[in-house]
Amino acid sequence: MKKLLFAIAISVLGSTVLKAQTNYKAALGLGIDLYDEATFFGATGKYFFSDNHVGQADLGFEDNATIATFLYSFHKEFVGAKGLRWYAGVGPSIIFLKYTDNIFALRPHVGMDFKVDGVPFVINFDWRPAVVLSEVGENEVAAFGFGLQFAID
């Protein structure tokens, strides 16, 4: 499943790089947070505090668990690829579990964000491992995020 989502993200990004624009102030949509043994689906949103400084919040749901993630990212456009940005940052995640203690994790991340000119959608894909800070849970290296959002100017 992770390989398929990665292939789709790269295909979409690669096929539309020629007509792209990054000018948007915020975006709201659907997100997927993929762990090795869990997949969270839910809402995602991001807000540009400036051209490069971005806040993002994700709320995902899975059987017997809910995850809330709050990320700070530094975004920068690729030279010669209008609309395609790389980003990196960090933020906390809290996984609320139904039958055990909650898991607190730090989520460093690095990824790509793409906005097509004339189309109000943003696609993003990132690698976001989980460094567990609580007594419960395990570190997760194979964790990825994928989002499809509606851009708000």
Side-chain angles (χ1 to χ4, degrees):
M1 171 97 169
K2 291 178 192 175
K3 290 179 184 177
L4 175 63
L5 287 174
F6 180 74
I8 291 170
I10 295 301
S11 298
V12 171
L13 290 174
S15 67
T16 54
V17 165
L18 295 176
K19 294 187 125 198
Q21 173 184 336
T22 58
N23 297 336
Y24 67 97
K25 188 69 174 167
L28 296 171
L30 297 174
I32 301 172
D33 201 348
L34 300 165
Y35 279 77
D36 192 30
E37 295 183 12
T39 301
F40 295 91
F41 292 95
T44 181
K46 65 171 49 177
Y47 180 78
F48 282 80
F49 297 106
S50 70
D51 286 343
N52 301 105
H53 302 281
V54 180
Q56 179 174 330
D58 299 336
L59 183 63
F61 303 94
E62 209 234 5
D63 292 341
N64 302 317
T66 301
I67 188 170
T69 302
F70 306 97
L71 303 172
Y72 162 78
S73 302
F74 177 83
H75 280 57
K76 188 75 173 173
E77 190 169 293
F78 281 103
V79 176
K82 195 167 178 117
L84 182 61
R85 295 181 184 202
W86 62 268
Y87 59 88
V90 68
S93 276
I94 304 169
I95 301 175
F96 301 97
L97 299 169
K98 188 172 184 178
Y99 299 111
T100 186
D101 293 336
N102 299 331
I103 298 172
F104 297 92
L106 193 60
R107 305 290 298 273
H109 61 281
V110 61
M112 292 189 297
D113 178 270
F114 186 68
K115 163 94 173 55
V116 179
D117 188 21
V119 179
F121 292 106
V122 178
I123 299 169
N124 50 56
F125 178 77
D126 55 36
W127 174 55
R128 49 169 82 170
V131 179
V132 174
L133 304 174
S134 59
E135 298 287 325
V136 183
E138 297 179 8
N139 294 337
E140 179 70 56
V141 175
F144 299 91
F146 180 75
L148 177 60
Q149 302 160 331
F150 184 80
I152 302 167
D153 292 333

